Each structure stands twice: as structure tokens, then as C-alpha cells.
Amino acid sequence: MVAEGWDPGRYRTAARQVADWLISVASEELGGVTWLAQPGVSAAAEPSMGWGALGPMVFFADAYRTAGDASSLEMAERGLRWLRAKIGCEGQDMPPGLFTGLAGSAVVFSEMERVGADVTADLARVFELLAGAAERTEAGVNWQETTEVLWGTAGIGFVLLSIGRHVMGDYALELAAQAGDWLLAVAHRTPDGLRWDPGEGPSREYPYLREIWFPNFAHGTAGIAAYLARLGAATSDQRYLDAARLAATWILTTCRTDGDTCAARHHEPSAHPGDIGIGPVRAPDDDAPMYTMGWCHGPPGLGWFFRELHVATGEPIWAEWVARTARGIRRSGIPERREPGFWDNVGRCCGSAGVTEYFLDLHQWRNDPGDLAFAVEIVDDLLQRAIVDDDGMRWSNVEFRADPPDLPPETTFFQGASGIGSTLLRLARQLEGDMSAVWWPHAPDWSQHA
């Protein structure tokens, strides 16, 4: 049944225009097709889900599953040929992360399996490589001494607990538990609970990471603790659930909660010399806290953590905190208000598309028409900011640290057209009563109604 008052065809048409642009900028390589992150600017295609060539493959699989058009399936299959060749050539040297390398390719293969591709051997190879890349210590296992979700151990753990269990069976759960043990060993205890830095791997490259703490989902404590909550539910091991609760206790000390809302600071301490290199935000000149509204360092990702705790524990308090994050976003003034807290970014990571995804999650969970209406409002604003011509539809983000600040349009999932296109497809489906979405390993289950 189509939701009254909205036209899902509008968003399907926009997604088709996104597909047109992605087809126009695809490159022939390794017997298939691939995509540069910034066509005409990037030097080479990277096998990365967040900032590379894997995003368009997920988009085209999603588009075929939604609309059944042969051209989308063809592009997805041609992208798959490139990915298979890339792993065949470079698999052992690829970064392991969920949004930076091998673990992300498991998402591509999983989505291709949903549209009928035989990827059994591909998934087996990916998990063989991931297991081989694990660094084994007395405390447990890790990948590249990195704690967090996008690059490191927590994100790979999510993949093991989801796709990996279908491929590797009990060994995936065993490896995931060893990753959880390592995360417990490297946690930092404070008077207020537990928190994590990104790990020794990133800190060696970016020493300033040792001086700041990210409470939110991307690179931060909420994402790691969400993994531990999922792991605790999967293993019935109370240690992981206890750690997730202690992490929530610390995170809430960083939160603005006035008016029954919730938003965690971008980082702690509030002021830090120089630019923060993770996230499109300049460190303030004074001690004023910095709050952002995107999924990566804002309430949508934080709400994912609270929902994961709610699923794992059944404790109603976490559902209340989910609702508070939603109120915080609604009262922030976006999409009309830009900085501070929301900037000229339309992507899945930091901007409009990521906020839309969260409110589609919430609509699935609590069936509140207001959540769906807000998702439509955000997308309508997003469409007004698109670049549309004979080649199709795409977007240019704004990065005030760059000169000029208008960035080239990207094909990528986190900051570019493929991720936004997938959001357009999901909105169209949800308006028609279809709650299906891309199966993200790190996304909580929203299927049980509030």
C-alpha cells in the first residue's frame, strides 16, 4: 500500500538518474567495470565500500532488486567481475576493514547473492583472507590494531556475526568472540565507565588521536560498544553486555540532553588544537562543545547503539534513549539550518542521506507517520541540491577546509551518488509498504515494533 500524499515514483525516477550518471562514469578494467571515487580527479579505483568502487555495485544490486531493470543487473554483474579479479590479484594485500577493504566486499557478495548470483566461493575466499589477516595476541584477535567500526576490529566483528556465520559456521562466532576479548582488553576505564580510542594502528599514523575521544558510532565508543552488545546477545556472555552498558554510561556524560533530547559531542575534550582530521568539522577556538547531526558523529549513529542495546538486553530505557536522539534531530532545525551541527553534505556518512536512513529505520520500528514525513522532507531538500543534466544526477558536497570548498561529485557510498541513490530506492520502497533494505552487518534490527 502506498503511503498517502507522497509519490514514490518521484524517488524511483531520481534513483534512475543516479544510475544514468554512474553508468556514464564507469570504467572498463580487469574484465569488468569499476568506478573512480571522483571521476576525472581520482587516480585509481579502490576496493573500498565507504570511499571507493564498491558502493556503486551495492547500489546497482539494490536497484535491480527494487525495479527489476536489466541494465542495473548488468552493471552489478560487471562490477562483480572487477571485484573478483581485484581480490584475485590483491586480496592478501587489501585492507581488512568493513568500509575500507575486504570485509566490505563481503557485503557486495551478499547483496549479489540476493539477486541470484552464485558467490559461495567468493565469500569463502573473503573470510579465509580475513581470518588470515587477524593478528592473534594473548588478549584476543584484532585487525591492524584498530578498534573502531569503519576501519577496524569492531566492524569486522559485525561481519563475522552476520554474513560470516553463514559462511564459516561456529568458527565465525569463535573469531568474533576473540575480537570482543581484545576490545575488552584495550578499553580505557574512567570514573564514568568505558571508552575506546581508535587503536594503536591509527594513532601511530595520526598521533593526535591519542589526545581525543570520539563518543559516537564512527571511529568511536558507540560503534565498538554496539558490537559488544551484539556479541553479548550472540554468545550469552555477560562480560560483553556489561562493557556495552558501561560504555553507554560514559557516552551519556558527553551528551546534551536538554528538552528530553540526546546528542553526544563530536569529540572529547571539546577543544583541541588544529583541525580534527576525522569528520568534516573544524575544532573550535574555545571550549564550546561541538555537536553534529550526521550518522557518523551524531544522533543517528548514537541511536543505532541504543537500539542495539535495546535488542540485546530488552531494557526499555534504551528505547527511550533512541526516541531522544530522534527528538534531538527534529528540533535541531535541519535541513534548513546548516552549520553548526549540519553542513552542506548530502552523503550517507555525514549528511542528509544518513539522517534519512535513520528516520526510515525509526518508521519501520515504531510506525510513526512523522518519521516517514521527516525522511521525505530531508530527501526533498536533498533533491533540490542535486546536479542534474544529460548525464544524470549527482551531488557536490561542501568542505570548508578545502579551497575551493565545492568538492567534485563522488560515486562513493559514504559521500557520493551510490549511497544517496540507495537511500532514494529505500524511500520509494518504504512509501509503497516494502520495508526491505541493504543488509548492513553493523545495522541493528528494527523489525520488532516498539
Side-chain angles (χ1 to χ4, degrees), residues 299-436:
L302 188 57
W304 273 24
F305 167 48
F306 293 143
R307 173 58 181 166
E308 200 71 65
L309 267 174
H310 184 225
V311 171
T313 67
E315 297 164 354
I317 185 65
W318 305 119
E320 295 173 18
W321 283 110
V322 173
R324 292 178 72 149
T325 64
R327 278 192 292 273
I329 297 168
R330 293 293 300 271
R331 295 176 185 176
S332 69
I334 68 170
E336 290 82 6
R337 186 183 182 197
R338 299 285 188 251
E339 292 186 295
F342 202 64
W343 48 92
D344 288 319
N345 187 302
V346 291
R348 286 285 288 264
C349 184
C350 309
S352 304
V355 174
T356 301
E357 290 284 330
Y358 185 49
F359 278 85
L360 293 176
D361 292 337
L362 292 170
H363 177 249
Q364 178 183 2
W365 178 48
R366 57 191 188 180
N367 198 28
D368 182 346
D371 292 330
L372 186 59
F374 190 63
V376 170
E377 179 184 346
I378 294 289
V379 169
D380 287 348
D381 174 79
L382 183 155
L383 290 178
Q384 291 176 8
R385 297 157 67 185
I387 301 167
V388 184
D389 56 24
D390 291 343
D391 291 330
M393 181 179 289
R394 66 275 193 195
W395 289 261
S396 174
N397 288 316
V398 173
E399 169 56 83
F400 58 82
R401 293 178 298 191
D403 185 16
D406 292 328
L407 302 179
E410 293 195 11
T411 63
T412 64
F413 210 89
F414 261 172
Q415 298 290 16
S418 62
I420 299 167
S422 187
T423 295
L424 294 169
L425 291 168
R426 184 182 177 191
L427 176 59
R429 290 194 303 267
Q430 204 145 325
L431 289 171
E432 296 167 337
D434 177 357
M435 299 295 172
S436 65

Side-chain angles (χ1 to χ4, degrees), residues 24 40 89 106 130 136 139 147 154 159 163 219 250 258 262-263 271 281 299:
S24 76
C89 296
L130 281 174
R136 290 165 169 80
T147 60
V159 177
I163 303 168
H219 313 306
W250 175 75
D258 54 303
C262 183
V281 180

Side-chain angles (χ1 to χ4, degrees), residues 9 17 54 60 72 77 108 120 139 195 211 232 236 276 278 354 369 386 389 405 434 436 443:
Q17 291 175 294
L54 304 192
F60 280 114
S72 291
E77 289 175 337
V108 176
T120 303
R195 64 186 183 183
E211 304 171 30
S236 300
I276 300 301
I278 298 176
D389 56 24
D434 177 357
S436 65

Side-chain angles (χ1 to χ4, degrees), residues 131-143:
E135 298 181 23
R136 290 165 169 80
T137 72
E138 292 183 2
V141 304
N142 70 82
W143 284 265

